[in-house]
Amino acid sequence: MAQRVTAVFSSIATLIVSFLNVQKVKNAGIQTLNISSWDAPFGITLVSDMFSAILVFTTSLIAFLCLLYSFKAIGEAREKYYYYPVFHFLLVGVNGAFTTGDIFNLFVFFEVMLMSSYVLLVLGGTKIQLRESIKYLLVNIISSALFVIAVAYLYSVVGTLNMAHISARISEVSTNGMPGILTVIAVLFLIVFGIKGAIFPLYFWMPGSYYAPPAPVLALFGALLTKVGVYSITRTYTLFFYHDRDFTFQLLSILAILSVVAGVIGAIAYWDVKKIIIYNIIVAIGVILYGVSVMNPTAITGSVYYLIHDMLIKAALFLLVGVIVAITGTSNLKQISGLITRYPGLGWTFFIAALSLAGIPPLSGFVGKLLIVQGGAAGESYIGAGLVLMSSLLVLFSVMKIFIHGFWGQTRFYKGEDKVPVKWLLISPVILVVMSALFGVGSESFLPYISQAAETLTDPRIYIEAVLKE
């Protein structure tokens, strides 16, 4: 009980502070904090621009709702082994990664996040968790080693770790085009963050690893962990490596499009409700990074918008899938049917979430994807824009397969379903779906915030001047 009370109090406090920070950045511009009074670029600086501030607020909201869900879903066995403290250590890593202005500290916060995720993945000790945790651990150890190597190479070229200062130094040496060594470093960072963000072909570890943990942990992983990788690619490519778009951004575009294709194929192929939503993570990552690769204001705005949308809706869908599995005792879609007869709230909430995921207007997925497609067309990237648009239909098919086969058809009765606290478990996903719907319907109210975030990404000088006080 003490762990629960402390966890709720700290989550509410974080949510309030992160909301106030968004408003502060909106009104007063980028906020910086120099640790131990060492001015940038010599000390470690925390930087909160609108992009990071929105991500921290969204993370805090999702975490709070996953926490409420956990009270009835995680079980005493996991609670007894410090589930809630590890839960919050994960948030320290995620929010730290979004906020740090130091590239080495980004590595440090990645490690805090990953160490917490190792514990959450294995907590419970089931056979599948232990098997998948080994693969997850090995992949991330290799990724972390590559991260340190990439940072070391970058430091050897620019002589600084402050991200704003790195950008300024790269601009100085790239007046006649970006040197080859920086292009190599850019590809190294893409590999590192691509493993963590699960882009094609580096997503091989994710379907199995994310399948293993319980629903609230899966929701956290699906909504937050891969998005830290996406954030890191977006931040480094828009702040550091934007001088050589012919190669680095073209490579990012190709991998993003292939991620969309691979994710759609997986989502359509499987009849497991968890796997269908997990493969849709890969689709969303591809869509977001395609917008980043186009690198014009419209596409970047769409990518930021779609990123926030996807965090909300993926968390909602994984929590809803958790309710389905709790009721039926299985994630095999062929063994589920007729749920809407006795659980209409669950059914219609899932239906709205499915429409939002696919980008059906006027829900939030439509706004972000429309801007990305418009940006792609403006940048004459017609093939990519067409594939992103086409993916909406296939994503809709994959999630409607769950709705049609799982909620309609012959009503079945499942062993132990009367013991499942469905009403409590629905609170968190319903709030997330409502927030996602408002994010789409009320897009005019949210676009000024998203546009401010995109402005910093498209014009690195804003970030540099705010941090270095030039």
Side-chain angles (χ1 to χ4, degrees), residues 126-146:
T126 63
K127 184 177 179 180
I128 186 174
Q129 284 180 287
L130 295 173
R131 184 184 72 235
E132 293 300 333
S133 65
I134 294 171
K135 179 171 68 177
Y136 182 73
L137 185 65
L138 288 174
V139 167
N140 280 291
I141 286 173
I142 294 169
S143 174
S144 296
L146 288 173

Side-chain angles (χ1 to χ4, degrees), residues 9-32:
F9 176 80
S10 59
S11 293
I12 292 173
T14 304
L15 185 59
I16 293 170
V17 170
S18 62
F19 175 77
L20 294 175
N21 186 51
V22 170
Q23 300 305 316
K24 179 72 172 178
V25 173
K26 179 71 171 64
N27 297 322
I30 297 174
Q31 302 297 299
T32 63

Side-chain angles (χ1 to χ4, degrees), residues 49 51 234-235 238-239 295 300 304 453-460:
D49 64 347
F51 187 38
T234 304
R235 179 66 78 188
T238 57
L239 189 61
M295 196 57 186
I300 291 290
V304 176
E455 185 182 8
T456 307
L457 296 174
T458 52
D459 186 0

Side-chain angles (χ1 to χ4, degrees), residues 65-370:
L65 295 172
C66 287
L67 187 69
L68 294 183
Y69 188 98
S70 298
F71 291 162
K72 298 290 185 180
I74 204 66
E76 279 188 34
R78 289 186 174 92
E79 286 184 326
K80 186 170 65 176
Y81 286 99
Y82 307 106
Y83 167 77
Y84 296 112
V86 177
F87 180 102
H88 279 85
F89 271 112
L90 181 79
L91 298 182
V92 170
V94 172
N95 287 336
F98 288 149
T99 309
T100 185
D102 183 282
I103 193 67
F104 186 77
N105 258 43
L106 180 61
F107 166 76
V108 172
F109 282 119
F110 257 103
E111 292 308 298
V112 173
M113 177 186 75
L114 289 172
M115 285 188 289
S116 305
S117 68
Y118 300 151
V119 179
L120 289 174
L121 181 60
V122 81
L123 202 60
T126 63
K127 184 177 179 180
I128 186 174
Q129 284 180 287
L130 295 173
R131 184 184 72 235
E132 293 300 333
S133 65
I134 294 171
K135 179 171 68 177
Y136 182 73
L137 185 65
L138 288 174
V139 167
N140 280 291
I141 286 173
I142 294 169
S143 174
S144 296
L146 288 173
F147 197 168
V148 174
I149 292 168
V151 170
Y153 275 131
L154 183 62
Y155 183 78
S156 71
V157 174
V158 298
T160 183
L161 295 172
N162 182 279
M163 292 166 71
H165 202 211
I166 290 171
S167 181
R169 287 284 179 87
I170 290 176
S171 294
E172 291 171 6
V173 300
S174 300
T175 51
N176 296 317
M178 198 160 73
I181 183 63
L182 287 174
T183 302
V184 172
I185 293 169
V187 174
L188 261 179
F189 274 113
L190 182 58
I191 293 170
V192 170
F193 298 139
I195 293 174
K196 297 180 188 299
I199 66 171
F200 180 90
L202 304 171
Y203 66 86
F204 61 89
W205 58 270
M206 191 183 73
S209 297
Y210 279 20
Y211 189 86
V217 176
L218 174 56
L220 274 180
F221 284 13
L224 303 182
L225 295 200
T226 51
K227 303 310 185 295
V228 177
V230 171
Y231 164 82
S232 301
I233 292 172
T234 304
R235 179 66 78 188
T236 53
Y237 268 59
T238 57
L239 189 61
F240 299 167
F241 305 123
Y242 59 92
H243 302 280
D244 183 20
R245 298 188 187 181
D246 290 340
F247 179 78
T248 52
F249 279 77
Q250 188 66 31
L251 176 62
L252 180 60
S253 177
I254 292 169
L255 295 180
I257 292 168
L258 290 174
S259 297
V260 173
V261 174
V264 163
I265 292 171
I268 292 173
Y270 277 96
W271 282 83
D272 186 292
V273 291
K274 284 187 180 180
K275 287 285 180 70
I276 291 170
I277 308 303
I278 287 170
Y279 272 94
N280 271 299
I281 295 175
I282 301 167
V283 178
I285 290 164
V287 171
I288 295 162
L289 291 179
Y290 168 73
V292 174
S293 71
V294 174
M295 196 57 186
N296 60 40
T298 304
I300 291 290
T301 303
S303 288
V304 176
Y305 207 102
Y306 199 83
L307 175 58
I308 305 302
H309 143 79
D310 193 65
M311 291 171 73
L312 294 171
I313 211 65
K314 283 298 190 308
L317 283 167
F318 281 122
L319 294 179
L320 288 168
V321 165
V323 180
I324 294 171
V325 173
I327 292 169
T328 63
T330 180
S331 59
N332 186 345
L333 191 54
K334 294 180 179 180
Q335 298 176 15
I336 305 170
S337 67
L339 285 174
I340 203 163
T341 304
R342 282 170 296 123
Y343 305 101
L346 173 62
W348 294 116
T349 302
F350 185 91
F351 179 72
I352 296 170
L355 295 182
S356 183
L357 179 70
I360 303 300
L363 301 171
S364 58
F366 170 75
V367 180
K369 194 167 285 189
L370 177 64

